[in-house]
Amino acid sequence: MQPDNLILKLKQKNEVAFSQIYDMYSENIFGIINTIVNDAEVAEEVLQDVFIKVWNKSDSYSSEKGRFFTWLLNISRNAAIDKVRSKAYKNKRKNSDFDDFSFFIKDDMDLDSISDGYGIKKFVDKLKPVCVKLIDLLFFKGYTQKEASETLEIPLGTVKSRNRTCLNSLRETLQ
């Protein structure tokens, strides 16, 4: 069947035409999405979302405005960018908590002496608990200042000024 006929049948909500269009384009579209999201599993989810949009919005395609593949490509690109910008995607990509790695620590290890040996514990002990939490979120877990503000339930300006104060305190402690 000709692509133009497929598109016409797609607009008429013909499932066979939709299936053929999926078969024709899904591999290329998946590659484009995967390039943007850089995760095959997420790319597969976005691909499914794209074809749901194609099914639901098929009437909005006009051959006068451009080729079908270009229309499909724009939907795919926008869906992939939306996914990358989503909070759920960002949270999934963040570093894990230290608790997730606790299995590396043996029960008979004296962590105080190990950390004292590296000189880390004495610097961390001098910071206020709020600084430890803020530095953990911003620098070890990869939160933005806005996300840290939401997590700690404090104003963004407070996060910024505390961050500056905490880093200055740490800097002074290290000197």
Side-chain angles (χ1 to χ4, degrees), residues 130 134 146 148-159 162:
V130 69
L134 189 60
K146 183 177 182 204
S149 165
E150 292 167 359
T151 301
L152 298 173
E153 296 177 347
I154 57 177
L156 180 59
T158 304
V159 168
R162 280 187 186 168

Side-chain angles (χ1 to χ4, degrees), residues 10 14-23 51-52 54-55:
L10 173 66
N14 182 303
E15 292 177 14
V16 174
F18 175 76
S19 178
Q20 289 176 340
I21 286 174
Y22 182 88
D23 292 341
F51 276 95
I52 289 170
V54 167
W55 176 260

Side-chain angles (χ1 to χ4, degrees), residues 134-145 148 159 163:
L134 189 60
I135 287 173
D136 179 54
L137 289 175
L138 293 174
F139 296 98
F140 295 108
K141 293 184 179 168
Y143 280 47
T144 64
Q145 289 180 338
V159 168
N163 182 33

Side-chain angles (χ1 to χ4, degrees), residues 62-175:
S62 170
S63 60
E64 295 168 2
K65 293 180 182 177
R67 294 177 42 216
F68 181 76
F69 184 73
T70 305
W71 179 75
L72 183 59
L73 186 65
N74 284 330
I75 292 172
S76 305
R77 182 180 163 278
N78 291 339
I81 290 171
D82 288 347
K83 186 66 169 184
V84 169
R85 289 180 179 165
S86 74
K87 190 169 187 165
Y89 180 82
K90 287 178 182 177
N91 286 339
K92 181 182 174 189
R93 306 288 273 178
K94 287 183 181 164
N95 293 335
S96 298
D97 288 334
F98 179 75
D99 296 340
D100 295 341
F101 298 100
S102 60
F103 60 88
F104 287 119
I105 300 171
K106 297 177 186 169
D107 289 336
D108 60 345
M109 293 176 92
D110 183 4
L111 294 178
D112 287 337
S113 66
I114 291 171
S115 61
D116 277 337
Y118 290 114
I120 295 170
K121 189 171 183 345
K122 67 182 178 183
F123 297 116
V124 173
D125 285 345
K126 291 182 182 180
L127 291 175
K128 295 177 185 175
V130 69
C131 287
V132 173
K133 182 68 176 169
L134 189 60
I135 287 173
D136 179 54
L137 289 175
L138 293 174
F139 296 98
F140 295 108
K141 293 184 179 168
Y143 280 47
T144 64
Q145 289 180 338
K146 183 177 182 204
E147 291 168 334
S149 165
E150 292 167 359
T151 301
L152 298 173
E153 296 177 347
I154 57 177
L156 180 59
T158 304
V159 168
K160 291 178 178 185
S161 60
R162 280 187 186 168
N163 182 33
R164 188 171 36 258
T165 303
C166 293
L167 289 178
N168 286 336
S169 297
L170 184 60
R171 198 173 289 122
E172 288 171 12
T173 304
L174 290 171
Q175 292 174 354

